[in-house]
Amino acid sequence: MLKKLTETIKRKPMIGWGIFAVVMAGVFLLGLLAASITERRAEIATLFNNKKIDISGINPHSEQWGINYPREYNTWKKTQEMDFRSKHLGNAPQDVLESRPQMVVLWAGYAFSQEYTAPRGHMHAIEDMTNTLRTGSPENGEGEMQPGTCWTCKSPDVPRMMHEVGIENFYKAKWSEWGSEIVNPIGCADCHDPVTMNLTITRPALVEAFERQGKDITQASPQEMRALVCAQCHVEYSFQGEGKYLTFPWDGGMTVEAMEEYYDNIGFSDWTHALSKAPMLKAQHPDYELFLLGPHAQRRLSCADCHMPYMAEGGIKYSNHQIMSPLKNIANTCQTCHHDSEDKLRNYVYEYQDKALEIRDRIEQELSKAHIMAKTAWDNGANQKEMDASLKLIRQAQWRWDFAVASHGASFHAPVETQRILAHSLDKSLQAQLELQRVLFAHGIMDVKMPDISSKDKAQQFIGLDMKEKKEKKEKWLKTVAPQWLEKAKKEGRLTANL
């Protein structure tokens, strides 16, 4: 073969020159690649080894981390932006109860019936937590609505306080007790080791949940960690016992049925419904659990692959820390794997969402009717034994509805599973109505007049909320007590940035 090539080159020298040119071009390109790799490694090494300041311990001040890692820090600061709007919600505040007033009835007797707004970016976590009516207006031992546990996912000050006072003491304190301590918004120290910058778990509930399943979270791979740091907070959880100890209900599995069985076995309920008297479960935001049941997790993607796409600057490759909907940046999220146009990819998501929300809206109508029918039955002399079957169905129906709608992006993360859960919720809502009809007929009630709950105000009036008084108290509190928390935090050096 080589002899024939040599003879050919002798006859036609241009072929030899052509081969020479191809080989030299290949060598040149390989040289560029090697130089690029060497340059990138050198830049990364320089960046890591020549840090401007040393960060150690639990440092909640993200602006100090930003001195060493300005690229990541500058993208993290963009979580304060509120300029994105999708077909369904975005990153700006929106009064969800106003657009879906049936939810007021579904949460009667629970703080969510007072206020429920769409979430904003991580930068607003403390502000939104403080401002919401759900935390009340605690002053002089009165107006306390939540335990200290409610702060758990809102700030890197949380692991600092847990270290200082102990995990149990942090949870069982009153929410207001940590008002001047938990002041820095979700940031670097929530997910990173300050010395190595490796991803790390800073919330004990996730570690404890793994341990109860016989798993060692320290053995998680780097790719798994890119989802587990999110799973510290974006999960279903409950406050257990008088100490309000934060617990993930994963002992028997992570499906909606497995978690329901866990709660049933320990006799747990978040609250008793003010109308139906059903022992209720309030789903938080089971994003991680539903994500695991979807196509992206099954292909070993992590949360960060879509919500924190890579960026490049010079020889540095880094993650965009403006954590938000991938639809904001389709070119660097969806299109890294999918080769359809941005419009097609966006419309695929909208199609998933539209179909799920169609069932969701029907559930909210029928489930709110079931609660009102149950109230009517109680008002007309029904007893506990007569009501048990329908109340169990109401609990099951609302748990499934809430599990699907409380999760951020459920209809995209796991569209098939979300549709299944919502379908079961609608089925159980209608079953509850049938059971209640039997009870009502037994007490001579042939028809139930439904109240006008067509607006948030009307629905809140129906369930007995004096919203004028609650809002006035909150507004006064925000002008008097909340500023004192911030002033104390600044005076004692816990809050140093004015972001």
Side-chain angles (χ1 to χ4, degrees):
M1 180 70 181
L2 185 60
K3 185 177 180 180
K4 290 182 178 180
L5 179 61
T6 303
E7 292 175 353
T8 302
I9 292 173
K10 285 182 178 179
R11 290 197 305 270
K12 297 181 178 180
M14 289 302 294
I15 294 177
W17 285 109
I19 293 173
F20 175 76
V22 170
V23 171
M24 291 303 295
V27 170
F28 177 74
L29 292 174
L30 286 173
L32 287 178
L33 177 60
S36 176
I37 292 172
T38 302
E39 181 182 5
R40 284 174 182 262
R41 287 180 174 175
E43 286 195 35
I44 293 170
T46 300
L47 177 69
F48 192 79
N49 293 326
N50 295 333
K51 293 181 291 188
K52 296 179 180 178
I53 65 171
D54 288 327
I55 299 174
S56 61
I58 304 172
N59 186 332
H61 304 295
S62 294
E63 68 277 7
Q64 294 181 10
W65 296 63
I67 295 172
N68 290 335
Y69 308 102
R71 297 170 180 84
E72 291 83 354
Y73 177 72
N74 287 331
T75 58
W76 169 80
K77 286 198 297 183
K78 291 185 177 182
T79 61
Q80 67 186 315
E81 295 179 359
M82 294 180 288
D83 60 349
F84 175 69
R85 175 74 194 184
S86 180
K87 184 176 183 180
H88 304 290
L89 302 179
N91 63 355
Q94 182 174 332
D95 189 337
V96 180
L97 296 182
E98 188 63 59
S99 58
R100 292 155 59 194
Q102 291 92 351
M103 296 172 77
V104 173
V105 172
L106 298 182
W107 287 324
Y110 199 63
F112 273 74
S113 63
Q114 299 179 26
E115 183 176 7
Y116 178 50
T117 57
R120 297 190 287 173
H122 282 174
M123 187 77 81
H124 298 285
I126 301 295
E127 179 186 356
D128 290 350
M129 178 79 162
T130 304
N131 291 348
T132 180
L133 291 170
R134 300 204 305 270
T135 51
S137 308
E139 186 175 9
N140 300 323
E142 297 181 358
E144 196 82 56
M145 290 184 64
Q146 306 296 345
T149 321
C150 274
W151 287 111
T152 302
C153 288
K154 305 302 180 184
S155 167
D157 285 306
V158 169
R160 174 182 64 81
M161 286 304 301
M162 287 181 170
H163 178 74
E164 292 178 10
V165 305
I167 298 168
E168 291 186 7
N169 290 330
F170 177 83
Y171 289 150
K172 70 182 182 182
K174 293 181 179 180
W175 177 76
S176 61
E177 189 170 335
W178 308 131
S180 63
E181 296 281 356
I182 312 300
V183 290
N184 294 284
I186 299 165
C188 310
D190 284 305
C191 303
H192 289 283
D193 180 281
V195 177
T196 66
M197 286 306 292
N198 290 338
L199 294 174
T200 189
I201 304 301
T202 57
R203 301 308 195 272
L206 181 62
V207 178
E208 294 162 356
F210 267 58
E211 288 176 346
R212 291 196 306 274
Q213 297 177 84
K215 300 177 181 177
D216 183 358
I217 203 168
T218 64
Q219 299 304 307
S221 69
Q223 178 67 356
E224 289 171 329
M225 287 296 292
R226 298 177 79 232
L228 286 173
V229 290
C230 306
Q232 298 183 95
C233 296
H234 288 264
V235 290
E236 162 58 15
Y237 57 83
S238 61
F239 300 168
Q240 298 286 334
E242 293 183 3
K244 304 299 181 183
Y245 200 95
L246 186 66
T247 308
F248 296 175
W250 295 350
D251 294 25
M254 294 186 183
T255 64
V256 65
E257 289 86 3
M259 286 187 257
E260 179 182 55
E261 183 178 4
Y262 168 88
Y263 287 134
D264 288 346
N265 288 341
I266 64 173
F268 178 83
S269 62
D270 283 289
W271 90 104
T272 299
H273 198 275
L275 304 181
S276 67
K277 300 183 182 179
M280 304 301 294
L281 295 172
K282 174 69 188 79
Q284 308 309 324
H285 26 61
D287 309 327
Y288 178 67
E289 297 95 329
L290 277 169
F291 167 72
L292 291 179
L293 297 172
H296 291 86
Q298 290 165 7
R299 287 162 176 79
R300 300 187 182 279
L301 271 72
S302 72
C303 306
D305 286 315
C306 300
H307 292 280
M308 300 176 66
Y310 285 117
M311 303 177 71
E313 182 179 318
I316 302 297
K317 178 181 178 182
Y318 64 100
S319 292
N320 183 344
H321 282 59
Q322 187 185 8
I323 304 167
M324 61 176 301
S325 169
L327 295 182
K328 167 79 170 178
N329 188 9
I330 291 176
N332 288 335
T333 55
C334 310
Q335 286 184 327
T336 58
C337 295
H338 303 285
H339 302 298
D340 286 323
S341 67
E342 286 197 18
D343 284 342
K344 282 187 177 181
L345 291 168
R346 186 180 297 107
N347 287 330
Y348 292 151
V349 177
Y350 290 165
E351 184 178 4
Y352 289 147
Q353 292 174 335
D354 289 344
K355 290 178 178 178
L357 300 188
E358 182 180 344
I359 306 176
R360 179 206 70 184
D361 292 345
R362 177 77 190 284
I363 294 168
E364 290 171 7
Q365 293 174 4
E366 300 303 331
L367 188 51
S368 60
K369 287 180 185 177
H371 283 293
I372 294 167
M373 290 171 68
K375 179 182 186 303
T376 304
W378 286 117
D379 291 346
N380 285 274
N383 60 49
Q384 186 67 50
K385 185 176 180 180
E386 290 177 303
M387 296 292 288
D388 279 344
S390 56
L391 298 187
K392 182 178 180 180
L393 285 164
I394 287 175
R395 171 183 166 98
Q396 293 173 338
Q398 185 147 329
W399 165 244
R400 284 158 179 76
W401 161 79
D402 210 349
F403 195 92
V405 303
S407 173
H408 304 121
S411 57
F412 174 75
H413 288 153
V416 176
E417 177 67 1
T418 301
Q419 290 275 13
R420 183 189 74 85
I421 293 170
L422 288 171
H424 284 201
S425 174
L426 181 58
D427 176 52
K428 289 181 181 294
S429 298
L430 296 174
Q431 286 185 52
Q433 289 187 23
L434 289 174
E435 287 290 338
L436 287 163
Q437 283 178 1
R438 295 189 183 97
V439 177
L440 289 164
F441 289 167
H443 289 267
I445 308 300
M446 300 296 120
D447 186 36
V448 176
K449 184 178 180 181
M450 291 294 158
D452 183 359
I453 55 170
S454 58
S455 71
K456 180 182 74 170
D457 291 341
K458 291 177 180 178
Q460 289 174 332
Q461 289 174 15
F462 170 68
I463 68 171
L465 289 177
D466 186 346
M467 294 307 299
K468 183 175 183 295
E469 180 185 9
K470 292 181 182 298
K471 289 178 181 178
E472 287 176 351
K473 285 183 177 180
K474 190 71 178 188
E475 289 173 4
K476 178 184 176 182
W477 181 86
L478 287 171
K479 293 177 181 178
T480 55
V481 179
Q484 295 175 16
W485 289 358
L486 291 178
E487 189 61 32
K488 183 178 180 182
K490 290 178 181 178
K491 185 177 180 180
E492 298 180 2
R494 288 190 289 273
L495 182 62
T496 59
N498 186 22
L499 298 170

